[in-house]
Amino acid sequence: MADWTRLTQRLAASGDGRVELSFTEIERTIGAPLPGSSKYPAFWSNSSSYARAWKRAGYIATRRGVATGHMAFVQVSPTETVGTTLPADVAHSTTDIAREPTERAAVVLVGCVKRKATNPTKAQELYQSQLFARRRTYALAAGVPWFILSAEHGLVPPATVIAPYDVYLADQSDDYRRAWGEWVAARLQREVGSLLNLTIEVHAGAAYVDAIHQPLARRGARLFHPVAGLRRGEQLAWYDAHRGTGTRTDGSVEAPDVGPIPTPAPQTASDQKAIIDALLDYAAVNAPDQPGTSSFTPHPEANALVMQNPFAFLLAVIFDQGIPAERAWRAPYELRQRLGHLDPQRMATEPGDTAIAVAMPPVLHRYREKMPGWLTQAAKLVVADYHGDAGRIWRDEPTARELQARLRRFPGIGQKKAAMAVELLERDLGVPVRELDGSDVAYDVHVRRVFLRTGLAEYDDLDHMVDVARRANPDRPGAIDAPAWLIGRQWCHAGYPDCGSCVLSTVCPKDLARANRVRGA
């Protein structure tokens, strides 16, 4: 009998972005002949029932460029698996998840419940049932990072403010649950770093555990589910037996005694000036020696393209969303390689080619359906309004405000990207831009986190943060953007900030609680 989990294990353990196997090798791997239906393309479709064998390992099947009698598998979601060993539970059902850990958990995940408060509030206070209260008490007492599994919002830090919603994961489609599980795993990896060999304790319903099991296991995490199979009353009894703190008879929760949370002193004008000065000093240190010498991506040819080709620069700005910046700024080069050109006229009239180029593995962008439309519309706008020359968008020495307005006409470019692009064009490419007092900081997650933790901003709001920058550095508000972004990315992380190494360590009050006020962090 064929054992398709062995193909899953082989692909996940390979560590290669593309694995090509002959049908004979596949049969040898699964320990049985392929079924007769394997001679038809539908058998190897990524929507067939057999596709689970390669999709669980983070691959899709393709016949493109493959010899007869062979099949290629292309990685579409990275795994953290190292060497030749796959975590033992990667191909098993969640019934195989351990009930008891072999070591102390490094992270606790708590499932949401149906009953919620009626107004937006911190996630740890939104859910109202006794079961959630017990789970929360247990997670707090564990003394390790913990997060809430929300059917609507994915992985949620406890202090993040969210609104009530009415979504139950078990009622959602298989596609939704699969995407949700991948989303949770990716978010957790961003919050805590590598998941390889990380022990994760889950306190949630079966639908939630089923959805996250494979994505976490592929990244090398070990899961255990102490209340698996227990009914609600049995779960409550389990938490009562394992609680590290008391639960009052009225159902409310006593938080564990972790000591008072220090509240930073209010920021004075001199405090804020010290922070702004430190940001500008850091900007000066990281400024390019001369225009045209910056590196947006480590790939030399891709970097040269966006520096020298205005249309490539515009496309890179559009690509720069939801993926690492270095990947976004390399994307125009990869797009040109696949299309054979980067001609706005052709892209405007050949949208199908652009869609195929973006979606072919490895995909250029996670928004494989939305991004081609943005690129095509951008090409059409360049052709219609700028005679096919994207450089005309900024070649007439516009003011900073005019340039932002022009950029925001392009689909996929909002306040954040437009503000960023103005600074890059003037500072890094040497494009003449007038009246830089009209520049702005980008409403980017890294910038927002730095503004909140340093106390420059009081709350997470676009207009508020733009106004803060304008008042703090009126001659050129946008100059604060790059250093805040770099600091947020390098040291001021969402989960575990490296305050000791940060260049703002001597002037920042380190209001870490404010990080949870950043929406989308």
Side-chain angles (χ1 to χ4, degrees), residues 390-442:
R392 288 174 176 259
I393 300 171
W394 51 76
R395 199 168 289 142
D396 60 345
E397 299 189 23
T399 68
R401 292 186 188 278
E402 288 172 341
L403 184 50
Q404 283 195 63
R406 293 175 187 179
L407 290 166
R408 291 187 69 169
R409 292 183 59 222
F410 287 86
I413 298 182
Q415 187 279 338
K416 166 185 163 182
K417 293 183 183 179
M420 169 196 72
V422 169
E423 281 295 308
L424 294 179
L425 285 166
E426 198 283 334
R427 184 191 66 233
D428 296 76
L429 271 68
V431 171
V433 179
R434 296 181 291 114
E435 299 179 18
L436 287 169
D437 58 340
S439 65
D440 286 317
V441 291

Side-chain angles (χ1 to χ4, degrees), residues 67-120:
T68 302
H70 290 68
M71 180 57 61
F73 302 92
V74 179
Q75 191 177 48
V76 293
S77 59
T79 71
E80 290 287 336
T81 307
V82 175
T84 59
T85 303
L86 184 70
D89 59 352
V90 71
H92 298 168
S93 71
T94 52
T95 57
D96 297 319
I97 296 177
R99 285 280 299 271
E100 298 296 335
T102 56
E103 60 186 56
R104 185 172 181 266
V107 175
V108 175
L109 303 181
V110 172
C112 66
V113 295
K114 182 176 182 179
R115 185 180 173 188
K116 303 173 182 70
T118 56
N119 296 310

Side-chain angles (χ1 to χ4, degrees), residues 318-319 321-322 351 354-355 358-359 365-378 411-413 417:
I318 296 173
F319 271 116
Q321 181 171 339
T354 299
V358 170
H365 200 281
R366 60 187 293 192
Y367 301 151
R368 66 179 72 189
E369 296 181 359
K370 184 186 301 183
M371 186 57 66
W374 288 353
L375 302 178
T376 299
Q377 291 301 315
I413 298 182
K417 293 183 183 179

Side-chain angles (χ1 to χ4, degrees), residues 1-7 10 21-39 43-44 69-71 73:
M1 182 176 179
D3 182 0
W4 286 91
T5 63
R6 292 167 60 183
L7 178 60
R10 177 169 181 171
L21 300 173
S22 68
F23 288 172
T24 300
E25 289 176 293
I26 294 173
E27 290 177 335
R28 190 179 301 122
T29 298
I30 64 177
L34 287 166
S37 57
S38 64
K39 63 184 178 181
F43 178 91
W44 300 102
H70 290 68
M71 180 57 61
F73 302 92

Side-chain angles (χ1 to χ4, degrees), residues 296-297 299 302 306 316 325-335 364:
F296 298 114
T297 171
H299 189 280
V306 296
E326 293 80 4
R327 179 181 166 191
W329 288 83
R330 177 170 174 162
Y333 172 82
E334 299 291 347
L335 182 63
L364 286 187

Side-chain angles (χ1 to χ4, degrees), residues 162-285:
I162 57 175
Y165 57 91
D166 188 19
V167 178
Y168 180 49
L169 193 63
D171 291 340
Q172 307 308 307
S173 67
D174 289 346
D175 286 343
Y176 182 98
R177 292 198 297 269
R178 281 194 292 269
W180 182 89
E182 294 290 349
W183 180 28
V184 167
R187 178 72 186 273
L188 182 61
Q189 184 169 295
R190 189 177 71 174
E191 291 283 351
V192 304
S194 174
L195 304 184
L196 184 63
N197 296 323
L198 198 71
T199 300
I200 300 173
E201 184 173 350
V202 188
H203 293 262
Y208 297 80
V209 182
D210 286 343
I212 65 174
H213 177 214
Q214 300 295 346
L216 291 176
R218 283 201 309 274
R219 291 165 170 81
R222 294 187 291 267
L223 274 67
F224 73 97
H225 188 199
V227 295
L230 299 183
R231 292 182 296 241
R232 185 177 184 278
E234 294 172 328
Q235 291 185 49
L236 292 174
W238 187 93
Y239 290 117
D240 286 344
H242 290 80
R243 68 180 180 226
T245 58
T247 302
R248 299 189 181 97
T249 56
D250 63 0
S252 60
V253 179
E254 294 177 355
D257 183 12
V258 294
I261 298 175
T263 301
Q267 288 281 73
T268 65
S270 60
D271 292 334
Q272 292 202 347
K273 184 179 185 305
I275 293 169
I276 294 298
D277 288 346
L279 286 169
L280 294 176
D281 287 345
Y282 187 62
V285 170

Side-chain angles (χ1 to χ4, degrees), residues 421-495:
V422 169
E423 281 295 308
L424 294 179
L425 285 166
E426 198 283 334
R427 184 191 66 233
D428 296 76
L429 271 68
V431 171
V433 179
R434 296 181 291 114
E435 299 179 18
L436 287 169
D437 58 340
S439 65
D440 286 317
V441 291
Y443 190 58
D444 173 87
V445 65
H446 301 301
V447 175
R448 291 148 60 196
R449 195 162 55 241
V450 170
F451 269 45
L452 287 168
R453 283 178 172 168
T454 58
L456 289 175
E458 297 178 6
Y459 52 90
D460 185 13
D461 176 78
L462 188 157
D463 292 337
H464 173 58
M465 293 193 176
V466 167
D467 184 62
V468 165
R470 288 175 179 173
R471 287 186 284 106
N473 196 45
D475 291 340
R476 184 171 182 172
I480 307 173
D481 181 75
W485 185 85
L486 289 168
I487 289 168
R489 200 176 193 221
Q490 184 166 350
W491 297 295
C492 197
H493 308 133

